Amino acid sequence: MTAEAEQGFRPLDEASLVAYIKTTPALASRLGGGSLDSLEIKEVGDGNVNFVYIVRSEAGAIVVKQALPYVRSVGDSWPMTRERVYFEASTLREHGRLCPEHTPEVYHLDRAMSLMAMRYIEPPHIILRKGFIAGVEYPLLADHMSDYMAKTLFFTSLLYNNTTDHKKGVAKYSANVEMCRLTEQFVFSDPYRVSKFNRWTSPYLDKDAEAVREDEELKLEAAELKSLFMERAQALIHGDLHTASIMVTTGSTQIIDSEFGFYGPMGYDIGAFLGNLILAYYAQNGHADQANDRKAYKKWILKTIEESWNLFQKKFVELWNKHKEGNGEAYLPDIYNNSKLLSVAQKKYMTNLFHDSLGFGSAKMIRRIVGIAHVEDLESIKDASRRAECERAALNCAKTILKGRRQFETIEQVIVHIQSFDQD
Amino acid sequence: MTAEAEQGFRPLDEASLVAYIKTTPALASRLGGGSLDSLEIKEVGDGNVNFVYIVRSEAGAIVVKQALPYVRSVGDSWPMTRERVYFEASTLREHGRLCPEHTPEVYHLDRAMSLMAMRYIEPPHIILRKGFIAGVEYPLLADHMSDYMAKTLFFTSLLYNNTTDHKKGVAKYSANVEMCRLTEQFVFSDPYRVSKFNRWTSPYLDKDAEAVREDEELKLEAAELKSLFMERAQALIHGDLHTASIMVTTGSTQIIDSEFGFYGPMGYDIGAFLGNLILAYYAQNGHADQANDRKAYKKWILKTIEESWNLFQKKFVELWNKHKEGNGEAYLPDIYNNSKLLSVAQKKYMTNLFHDSLGFGSAKMIRRIVGIAHVEDLESIKDASRRAECERAALNCAKTILKGRRQFETIEQVIVHIQSFDQD
């Protein structure tokens, strides 16, 4: 961060936010201009990391986010760069350009203030994870998410861009290193060692957590994925694409919270989404009751997993074919110039991406069970013993996928594998 | 390049170089200070890319390099960023810090002028490639090169550095993209398509060159290596570590010409060196005559290939073990905390690196036979038919290594493979 940015920073509260909006035309005009004396402001930041305000006037509503130089819920004992807002807005803008249907607009970025304003994603949108807990089906989810992932990943990769543009992006997002380091620690390291941040459903999973820390094969795979995460600049990824970064209605899917965005391996985004779907699946046994055994819902989740990958693969390859004569530097048209060769190349590429996605997805599942930051899908199961059963099934499934991911050829095989760990 | 740097640039000649030296204390003092009226200046740039001057006074000698904004031998029809001098000096300084024994000191860098001054590598040092043609054995070559590669690659990787420093380096060298693009085109693309830059010993190798362009398996492997080269920021590599970037005596090895330096895959450097040793091997049949059948020399080259990899591997792993409790972010000590697990991890890492090196090495061999910029080892064989025989053997060896690299477990197996293509 420049000294300049440091200087211009001051944390806002409801009152000073009003003043800020009044003197910021990009925001004032969004709220209808005028005197703006009856702004209604609600802080909805969940108390976790940032301050998030919903600001309403008679003319409309916006969301304003401000980051403090530490994790809000922990305090200044856990410093965290304010620059994350800059990278969140940058990623959101770039992804929004590529896939506006599923990305809220950024109205304003004030880097010095670590503040951004974006479209208010109005009700009845809810966080997807909460929809899963409630057992709501989203018939368009796989279609929308495959669209978002195919477009954002393809168009920011060397399949579409030339090296010059690609390396410019890599250089820019290299500065988002503090956020990357959080992932490195919490996803790829802490679950495999004793760490004060680790947490699990004790005492039920004590032995399971210990087994993860002592599983040498698992640790070797985790190291390989960690290196991939740290070294491979494949595309501008969202970096945190779990089901609480997605807001939905049955007809709309909006992706938010891209402060972990950087040039990393595509499989990390795809895996995050699929892994969180699998966690949602295993959580269902904990939500089943006499009124609803959740069996049909579990089938719907499995179908969504299947369709998400298959549609993603189809759309990604379609984009590739559509732009195969373009500026993409990885597969030049005068070399990969016959459709048979290109199709073999694509198959190889997609198989590698599939295995990466399974690896990252299962690594993310593991950390949600024995590491920091669990998922509400499982946390909301009150009965600890019942929760532990769901978690153990998910953990065992994830461990075997992580180790054996290269054996899977289709998502259908993965579905069968998931079901085989289901104690139901 | 900044506008500032653009402004401060003027191309020097012998006369203006003298004036430049006199007003640049870092250079004047290297040459003994004083009036410097009897400087002796010799331009030795081989006419290829840059202007290279050896500047002598009674007190000493230095080398001054200046880049023009195009390839010198072609003229301004082939623009090439002057910034390459900045990256050459930066890489040289960084590698010199890590391995001063084999890297000449940089005395001075003037980014605006695209000018650097460095240690004059005095006679009897010659370009290694010329030594190979003359049939000179360098008993310390494998030891020195393995030292250089182990130190520069290990200490600029995430095995030694933390992510923050690593990504800073990645960002800085991302701007050396124009040089990377040359490699992408000439090593990974042009040999596999019709290109005006391609050249081979015609008509003898016409069918061989065509076969490369039509070999689909080869093209798929080339694409995979190209992606690795473009996407994987594993270490600060030299980027052009062939045997004309190395100056030697029987007791000294000095690595120069690092203008292709960037954060890329380690195997690209190791492969460049090994691949050029293999080319030197296949060229020997063309240099054999009644006075010297070169059989003993060929054995020495094979031994050097073998030792270079084995010593590299040994030294690299030794560095890893020595620094395993350090700041390296890839394998944290409290996870990879027992020697058996660490040793399995290292074996896996080195096997992947071995296969990468074989892949990049064979890709570089191929381009030296059917692409742009051949090697003097082969070019100096006057009889075209004899040269073509050597080249065909090298080409066939390279193609099979590129396709089958993952089957090799040891360098000794590669040696046997190399010999099997030798028509001698």
Side-chain angles (χ1 to χ4, degrees):
Chain A
M1 178 152 343
T2 61
E4 215 172 314
E6 202 61 52
Q7 271 183 347
F9 180 76
R10 64 200 155 89
L12 296 180
D13 55 20
E14 274 86 344
S16 50
L17 176 57
V18 171
Y20 182 90
I21 290 169
K22 285 184 177 174
T23 57
T24 306
L27 301 184
S29 66
R30 283 278 160 195
L31 294 163
S35 74
L36 298 176
D37 280 335
S38 57
L39 286 183
E40 186 192 315
I41 296 192
K42 197 173 143 201
E43 215 284 312
V44 293
D46 266 7
N48 255 331
V49 178
N50 298 311
F51 285 84
V52 183
Y53 303 92
I54 298 171
V55 183
R56 289 170 214 271
S57 70
E58 280 167 18
I62 62 173
V63 165
V64 176
K65 260 179 121 162
Q66 186 178 37
L68 300 191
Y70 47 79
V71 177
R72 182 182 170 189
S73 60
V74 182
D76 51 15
S77 66
W78 191 330
M80 191 190 262
T81 172
R82 289 192 286 110
E83 279 288 82
R84 63 188 187 265
V85 168
Y86 167 72
F87 289 107
E88 174 171 0
S90 299
T91 308
L92 213 50
R93 277 178 170 159
E94 181 64 10
H95 285 180
R97 198 174 62 76
L98 302 170
C99 186
E101 312 88 300
H102 304 300
T103 317
E105 300 92 324
V106 175
Y107 299 139
H108 175 67
L109 168 66
D110 183 338
R111 192 170 177 178
M113 285 285 284
S114 304
L115 179 148
M116 64 180 278
M118 54 184 270
R119 171 155 61 88
Y120 170 52
I121 301 172
E122 71 287 351
H125 280 94
I126 59 168
I127 292 290
L128 174 56
R129 206 186 283 294
K130 292 186 189 288
F132 284 161
I133 296 167
V136 183
E137 293 188 14
Y138 297 96
L140 298 177
L141 182 63
D143 187 39
H144 288 171
M145 286 304 295
S146 58
D147 226 48
Y148 169 79
M149 295 190 296
K151 285 178 182 161
T152 57
L153 298 178
F154 177 82
F155 286 120
T156 60
S157 78
L158 284 158
L159 297 172
Y160 181 74
N161 291 313
N162 68 39
T163 316
T164 307
D165 292 338
H166 192 78
K167 283 199 194 275
K168 259 184 215 154
V170 170
K172 171 176 170 176
Y173 286 90
S174 288
N176 201 18
V177 57
E178 286 193 46
M179 301 307 283
C180 288
R181 289 181 69 125
L182 290 178
T183 300
E184 290 166 24
Q185 175 180 349
F186 294 136
V187 176
F188 299 110
S189 298
D190 276 358
Y192 306 97
R193 63 179 172 182
V194 173
S195 160
K196 65 176 174 178
F197 299 112
N198 288 342
R199 212 163 49 69
W200 56 83
T201 302
S202 186
Y204 306 97
L205 297 187
D206 288 358
K207 285 216 173 333
D208 302 78
E210 194 189 346
V212 168
R213 295 195 302 270
E214 292 182 356
D215 189 327
E216 305 207 333
E217 201 185 335
L218 210 57
K219 290 179 173 191
L220 291 171
E221 296 295 345
E224 208 168 306
L225 290 170
K226 188 179 180 186
S227 287
L228 210 56
F229 182 83
M230 295 192 291
E231 294 173 350
R232 185 151 191 203
Q234 200 176 18
L236 175 57
I237 67 174
H238 177 283
D240 199 27
L241 196 55
H242 55 73
T243 46
S245 297
I246 303 168
M247 297 193 71
V248 286
T249 66
T250 48
S252 161
T253 307
Q254 302 292 318
I255 286 94
I256 58 170
D257 287 354
S258 51
E259 68 264 40
F260 285 84
F262 80 113
Y263 275 75
M266 295 179 182
Y268 192 76
D269 272 5
I270 305 163
F273 180 60
L274 297 182
N276 275 270
L277 287 176
I278 302 175
L279 286 175
Y281 171 85
Y282 284 111
Q284 294 305 318
N285 289 351
H287 300 308
D289 54 29
Q290 285 192 314
N292 185 346
D293 65 8
R294 298 276 179 134
K295 283 191 197 301
Y297 193 60
K298 282 165 68 176
K299 275 203 181 128
W300 175 79
I301 296 181
L302 292 179
K303 198 176 109 232
T304 301
I305 293 171
E306 186 181 334
E307 286 182 1
S308 292
W309 171 260
N310 284 336
L311 285 173
F312 165 78
Q313 173 160 262
K314 183 170 168 285
K315 291 173 185 180
F316 191 91
V317 172
E318 277 169 6
L319 288 175
W320 189 340
N321 285 329
K322 188 171 168 193
H323 297 281
K324 66 183 176 185
E325 309 277 345
N327 297 323
E329 208 96 53
Y331 291 79
L332 300 180
D334 49 359
I335 301 175
Y336 303 90
N337 51 0
N338 77 64
S339 57
K340 185 185 138 261
L341 176 59
L342 184 62
S343 132
V344 176
Q346 289 170 337
K347 193 155 191 280
K348 210 172 159 192
Y349 192 100
M350 298 315 286
T351 299
N352 285 334
L353 185 48
F354 185 51
H355 293 157
D356 287 356
S357 303
L358 292 178
F360 287 122
S362 44
K364 292 191 66 115
M365 287 173 68
I366 291 171
R367 83 88 170 235
R368 294 296 195 175
I369 297 165
V370 299
I372 197 180
H374 288 214
V375 293
E376 196 181 336
D377 313 60
L378 290 159
E379 291 296 285
S380 59
I381 302 169
K382 292 283 180 303
D383 179 333
S385 140
R386 200 173 173 198
R387 179 168 74 244
E389 260 177 52
C390 298
E391 290 175 327
R392 181 177 294 122
L395 181 62
N396 288 335
C397 173
K399 283 166 63 175
T400 48
I401 291 180
L402 185 51
K403 293 181 199 175
R405 64 189 182 278
R406 295 176 194 85
Q407 265 74 59
F408 293 104
E409 287 172 16
T410 65
I411 190 74
E412 286 77 9
Q413 292 170 348
V414 179
I415 303 286
V416 170
H417 187 79
I418 295 169
Q419 287 175 301
S420 76
F421 284 89
D422 185 0
Q423 308 284 314
D424 185 26
Chain B
M1 178 152 344
T2 60
E4 216 173 313
E6 201 62 52
Q7 270 182 349
F9 179 76
R10 63 199 157 88
L12 295 180
D13 56 20
E14 273 86 345
S16 50
L17 177 56
V18 171
Y20 183 90
I21 290 169
K22 285 185 177 175
T23 55
T24 307
L27 301 184
S29 66
R30 283 277 162 198
L31 294 163
S35 74
L36 297 178
D37 280 334
S38 58
L39 285 183
E40 186 192 315
I41 296 193
K42 197 172 143 203
E43 213 285 313
V44 293
D46 265 7
N48 255 332
V49 178
N50 297 312
F51 286 84
V52 183
Y53 303 93
I54 297 171
V55 183
R56 290 171 212 271
S57 72
E58 282 167 18
I62 62 172
V63 165
V64 176
K65 259 177 121 161
Q66 187 179 37
L68 300 190
Y70 47 79
V71 177
R72 181 181 171 189
S73 60
V74 181
D76 52 14
S77 66
W78 191 328
M80 190 189 261
T81 172
R82 288 191 287 109
E83 278 288 84
R84 62 187 187 267
V85 167
Y86 168 71
F87 288 108
E88 175 171 356
S90 299
T91 308
L92 214 50
R93 278 179 170 161
E94 181 64 10
H95 285 180
R97 198 174 62 76
L98 302 170
C99 186
E101 312 88 298
H102 304 301
T103 318
E105 299 91 325
V106 175
Y107 299 139
H108 175 68
L109 168 66
D110 183 337
R111 191 169 178 179
M113 286 285 282
S114 303
L115 180 148
M116 64 180 278
M118 54 185 269
R119 170 154 61 88
Y120 170 53
I121 301 171
E122 71 287 348
H125 280 95
I126 59 169
I127 292 291
L128 174 57
R129 207 186 281 296
K130 292 186 190 288
F132 284 161
I133 296 167
V136 182
E137 293 188 14
Y138 297 96
L140 298 177
L141 182 64
D143 187 38
H144 288 172
M145 286 304 295
S146 58
D147 226 47
Y148 169 79
M149 295 190 296
K151 285 177 182 162
T152 57
L153 298 178
F154 177 82
F155 287 121
T156 61
S157 79
L158 284 159
L159 297 172
Y160 181 74
N161 292 313
N162 68 39
T163 316
T164 306
D165 292 338
H166 192 79
K167 283 198 194 275
K168 260 183 213 154
V170 170
K172 170 177 172 177
Y173 286 90
S174 287
N176 201 18
V177 57
E178 285 194 46
M179 302 307 283
C180 288
R181 289 181 69 126
L182 290 178
T183 300
E184 290 166 25
Q185 176 179 348
F186 293 137
V187 176
F188 299 109
S189 297
D190 276 358
Y192 307 96
R193 63 179 174 183
V194 174
S195 160
K196 65 176 175 180
F197 299 112
N198 288 342
R199 212 163 49 69
W200 56 83
T201 302
S202 186
Y204 305 97
L205 296 186
D206 288 359
K207 284 217 174 329
D208 302 76
E210 193 188 348
V212 168
R213 295 195 301 272
E214 291 181 357
D215 189 327
E216 306 206 333
E217 201 185 335
L218 210 57
K219 290 178 175 192
L220 291 172
E221 296 295 346
E224 208 167 304
L225 290 170
K226 189 179 181 186
S227 288
L228 210 56
F229 182 83
M230 294 192 291
E231 293 173 352
R232 185 151 191 203
Q234 201 176 16
L236 176 57
I237 67 174
H238 177 282
D240 199 27
L241 195 55
H242 56 71
T243 47
S245 296
I246 303 168
M247 297 194 69
V248 286
T249 66
T250 47
S252 161
T253 306
Q254 302 293 317
I255 286 93
I256 58 171
D257 287 354
S258 50
E259 68 264 42
F260 286 84
F262 80 113
Y263 274 76
M266 294 179 182
Y268 192 77
D269 271 4
I270 305 164
F273 181 60
L274 296 181
N276 275 269
L277 287 177
I278 302 175
L279 286 174
Y281 171 85
Y282 283 112
Q284 295 304 319
N285 288 351
H287 300 308
D289 55 28
Q290 284 193 314
N292 185 346
D293 65 7
R294 299 277 179 132
K295 282 190 197 300
Y297 194 60
K298 282 164 70 177
K299 274 202 183 131
W300 175 79
I301 296 181
L302 292 180
K303 199 176 109 235
T304 301
I305 293 170
E306 187 181 332
E307 286 182 0
S308 293
W309 170 260
N310 284 337
L311 285 174
F312 165 77
Q313 175 163 259
K314 183 169 167 285
K315 290 173 186 181
F316 191 92
V317 172
E318 278 169 5
L319 288 174
W320 190 340
N321 285 329
K322 188 171 168 194
H323 297 281
K324 67 183 176 184
E325 308 278 345
N327 296 323
E329 208 96 55
Y331 291 80
L332 300 181
D334 49 359
I335 301 176
Y336 304 90
N337 50 0
N338 77 65
S339 58
K340 185 183 139 261
L341 176 59
L342 185 61
S343 135
V344 175
Q346 289 170 337
K347 191 152 192 277
K348 211 173 159 191
Y349 192 99
M350 297 316 286
T351 298
N352 286 334
L353 185 49
F354 185 52
H355 294 155
D356 287 356
S357 303
L358 292 178
F360 287 122
S362 45
K364 293 193 65 116
M365 288 173 67
I366 291 170
R367 84 85 170 239
R368 294 295 194 176
I369 297 166
V370 300
I372 198 180
H374 288 214
V375 292
E376 198 182 335
D377 312 60
L378 291 160
E379 291 297 285
S380 59
I381 301 169
K382 291 284 180 302
D383 180 333
S385 141
R386 201 173 173 199
R387 180 169 72 246
E389 261 177 53
C390 297
E391 290 175 328
R392 182 177 293 121
L395 182 62
N396 288 335
C397 173
K399 283 165 64 174
T400 49
I401 292 180
L402 186 50
K403 295 180 198 174
R405 64 189 182 280
R406 294 177 196 84
Q407 265 73 59
F408 292 103
E409 286 172 17
T410 66
I411 190 73
E412 287 76 12
Q413 292 169 347
V414 179
I415 303 286
V416 170
H417 188 78
I418 295 168
Q419 286 175 301
S420 76
F421 284 89
D422 184 1
Q423 308 283 315
D424 187 25

